Amino acid sequence: MFPTVRYLILWLTEGCNLRCAYCYRPNQGAPKAMSREVVDQALTLAARSGRFFHVQISGGEPTLEPDLIAYTAEALQRRRLPATLAVQTNGTRLTSELIHLFRRYAIQVGISLDGPPPIQENLRGGAAKTVAGIRRLEAAGVPFRITAVVSEASIGTLDLLPLFVGTFRWCQGIALDLLTVKGHALQGHVAPPKHHSLRVGLQRFYRSVLFVNQHRHQPLRLRELDRLRRAKASSSTSVFCPAAKGESLAVRPDGSVFPCGQTCGEKDWACGTVWHPDTTRLRRLCGLAQPRGADCATCHIRRFCPGECPSRLIYNTAHHASLVCTMYQTLWELWEKPNGIPDGSKAQRGKGGEK
């Protein structure tokens, strides 16, 4: 029996117009684009259970294939599938036509931005075009969220990110992805943050968010803090993502399938194709949650910790794996007992929509 798919990742293309210093994509030769037949079959697999699911358009840079984005949105609507749709983009190619498409089909927009423009330029390139894309979304009134990869190269200026994106009314929040040691990151171009620099950087980052939210009508949300709060409020055991429950499916342009977006394209993680998926291998990430070296028995958030990204547990070394503990513990301590934040912090937390 095919497993329930709650999270479907479509790699519309392996091509990208940027050259990130830590690019995760495996070297697969000439870039390929997904066919409409693969899109249709992937949606069919996700719809089998009849339950709600989310479709995440990714890559490569998916806006290199605007017609495929439109086709996916139209297929979901035409087939009346119970799903939401989102796109993760570097923001450098956001035309008025694409933005109109986002609005028409209520496509959620995620922008990959690791810091203020100088940091973005250093780590990803194309900073000016990304900022221009954000401004086009803002002008059109299209909501968007920021996803930042957190590395040793970016943690020192992470506190500047809320100050920058907070000026955009339609920016809804920030998500923090700890660097995964794969791809170019394996070659030492960019390293994960050290535990001390991560803690200090998050403290400064959090205070910046509080400051920004004091001056915004709609607060910037923090995905990681929201994840902790939902887990604490829930009576059921929390997991990091659908892949940890075997409910994730990532599809490459050629139709090959993988357990999650992080493993997508890695030969050792291939699980057949959208026409002949290997359901047993698709569940290989199930149950993976606890970082090696983590002292969960004495952790004050152990009862509601969402755990770590299961694939990141595999890719990152034992030293790097427990960084997620530092991140969650630091954010929760700041939320629960925000030592050292300016006077009036309680009012800021309330206005920030985080309590």
Side-chain angles (χ1 to χ4, degrees), residues 1-5 44-46 48-49 249 257 273-274 277-279 282:
M1 181 177 179
F2 193 76
T4 297
V5 175
T44 296
L45 285 180
R48 274 188 180 181
S49 69
L249 179 70
V257 297
T273 69
V274 289
D278 186 328
T279 57
L282 280 172

Side-chain angles (χ1 to χ4, degrees), residues 221-244:
R221 309 294 307 187
L222 300 185
R223 182 188 65 182
E224 282 62 42
L225 185 55
D226 285 346
R227 181 177 284 159
L228 281 168
R229 293 176 61 241
R230 284 195 302 269
K232 191 174 189 298
S234 175
S235 57
S236 59
T237 303
S238 174
V239 295
F240 182 86
C241 66

